[in-house]
Amino acid sequence: MELIFGTWHWAISGFLIGMTMLILTYFGKSFGMSSNLRTMCSMAGAGKFSDFFKMDWREQKWSLAVVLGAFVGGFIAFYFLSNGSGVNINPDTVSQLQTLGIDAPNGKLMPDAIFSIETMQSPKGFAILLLGGLLIGFGTRYAGGCTSGHAISGLSNLQLPSLVAVIGFFIGGLAMAHFILPIIFKTA
């Protein structure tokens, strides 16, 4: 059972992702999560209001299974396949976050200083989450896909735009972590 409860070696996970990509390529499909929002909006009738959503969503319904699988798989992994140890974060990262006033996650996936109900009810917290959501939504459409679509599907198909996008994702993440986050959470 430790094989199931423990962390898998990157080579096993990488092999499974590679096999999934080979199967998707064989069937002429690509992997990504952000395009599912367009599919769901099209299903709900948004095509009546915007040409962007005028599409045959039935051709993309297979990818909705990926979204459902992510939710169901996450639920099963958390509630039935977890050994209860939580998330282990490097102690140096925890101390750096504490200097910004962000609590140690203590086994949780997200710190309360950013994702608690109280934070979302504060004007600053709400503004941060709203702006972040808008930037991610805009960036995903502008880049022609999300991180999973470009990094997994695009790079495995040797697409140069995906390489450029992934490099941009890493640069943006580093800039956020080292320059912008300290400004946002600077304690007065």
Side-chain angles (χ1 to χ4, degrees), residues 13-47:
S13 303
F15 174 77
L16 292 173
I17 290 171
M19 293 307 297
T20 301
M21 290 311 307
L22 282 174
I23 293 168
L24 288 173
T25 302
Y26 177 78
F27 287 107
K29 307 289 184 190
S30 61
F31 178 80
M33 294 296 271
S34 63
S35 60
N36 288 305
L37 179 60
R38 182 179 182 203
T39 303
M40 288 186 277
C41 290
S42 178
M43 288 173 60

Side-chain angles (χ1 to χ4, degrees), residues 147 151 155 163-176:
T147 53
L155 288 180
L163 178 62
V164 172
V166 169
I167 290 170
F169 297 150
F170 275 96
I171 291 171
L174 289 170
M176 178 66 190

Side-chain angles (χ1 to χ4, degrees), residues 10 15 30 32 43 60 71 85 88 102 130 156 160 182:
W10 63 266
F15 174 77
S30 61
M43 288 173 60
Q60 297 297 322
F71 281 108
S85 66
N88 296 322
I102 298 174
L130 179 68
S156 67
L160 182 61

Side-chain angles (χ1 to χ4, degrees), residues 8-130:
W8 288 9
H9 190 271
W10 63 266
I12 295 170
S13 303
F15 174 77
L16 292 173
I17 290 171
M19 293 307 297
T20 301
M21 290 311 307
L22 282 174
I23 293 168
L24 288 173
T25 302
Y26 177 78
F27 287 107
K29 307 289 184 190
S30 61
F31 178 80
M33 294 296 271
S34 63
S35 60
N36 288 305
L37 179 60
R38 182 179 182 203
T39 303
M40 288 186 277
C41 290
S42 178
M43 288 173 60
K48 297 174 188 171
F49 306 103
S50 172
D51 289 340
F52 178 72
F53 297 109
K54 287 184 180 175
M55 60 179 276
D56 184 11
W57 61 267
R58 288 170 188 84
E59 292 179 7
Q60 297 297 322
K61 66 182 178 184
W62 71 271
S63 66
L64 294 175
V66 174
V67 175
L68 180 63
F71 281 108
V72 171
F75 179 84
I76 290 170
F78 182 79
Y79 287 104
F80 301 110
L81 299 177
S82 174
N83 63 6
S85 66
V87 178
N88 296 322
I89 298 177
N90 186 311
D92 293 337
T93 302
V94 171
S95 67
Q96 287 176 357
L97 290 174
Q98 286 174 338
T99 62
L100 298 174
I102 298 174
D103 57 318
N106 297 324
K108 298 179 290 185
L109 292 176
M110 301 175 289
D112 290 336
I114 302 173
F115 295 102
S116 69
I117 297 296
E118 294 80 22
T119 301
M120 286 189 269
Q121 292 173 343
S122 74
K124 177 182 176 181
F126 181 78
I128 289 170
L129 291 175
L130 179 68

